[in-house]
Amino acid sequence: MLVNVVKSKIHRVKVTGAELHYIGSITIDEDLMDAAGIIEGERVQIVNVTNGERLETYAIPGPRNSGEITLNGAAARKVAKGDTLILITYAFMEVDEAKAFKPSLVFPNEETNLLN
């Protein structure tokens, strides 16, 4: 049996942009993606701490050391610049593997979205 567990989390980043007229996705500073082990195209759950919205999209890398967190496409309607988000990815694992697995938890600077 497989269980779906938290693979990684980027905790409390601020939205830096919202681009409605874009194909879709969330642009994430590539340094944050690397730190969390998120790969391009991976499904990301977005929890908006500011307004309570929850949605899913896929990750695309943004410029390194930029702090960029931009919601693109329809998801741009669910956020405003400055909103605080939690970004979560999940993975399917065998139960025994899941019991021993430790997710990547990233806590960037809440003002700049940069790694400390």
Side-chain angles (χ1 to χ4, degrees), residues 1 4 9-10 18 24 28 32 34 45-46 60 65 68 81 83-85 87 90-91 95-99 102 107 115:
M1 172 175 49
N4 197 13
K9 178 168 90 166
I10 301 174
I28 304 170
L32 293 175
D34 288 348
Q45 180 183 37
I46 300 161
I60 61 172
N65 201 39
E68 181 175 357
K81 188 174 178 180
D83 282 1
T84 299
L85 306 179
L87 310 178
Y90 299 88
V95 173
D96 288 339
E97 180 184 11
K99 287 180 180 179
K102 300 293 182 223
F107 299 90
L115 298 172

Side-chain angles (χ1 to χ4, degrees), residues 22 24-34 38-42 44 58-66 68-70 72:
Y22 191 88
S25 66
I26 182 170
T27 304
I28 304 170
D29 178 325
E30 196 166 3
D31 286 341
L32 293 175
M33 288 178 64
D34 288 348
I38 298 172
I39 62 170
E40 185 171 356
E42 185 169 0
V44 178
Y58 60 93
I60 61 172
R64 290 189 178 280
N65 201 39
S66 65
E68 181 175 357
I69 301 291
T70 300
N72 303 303

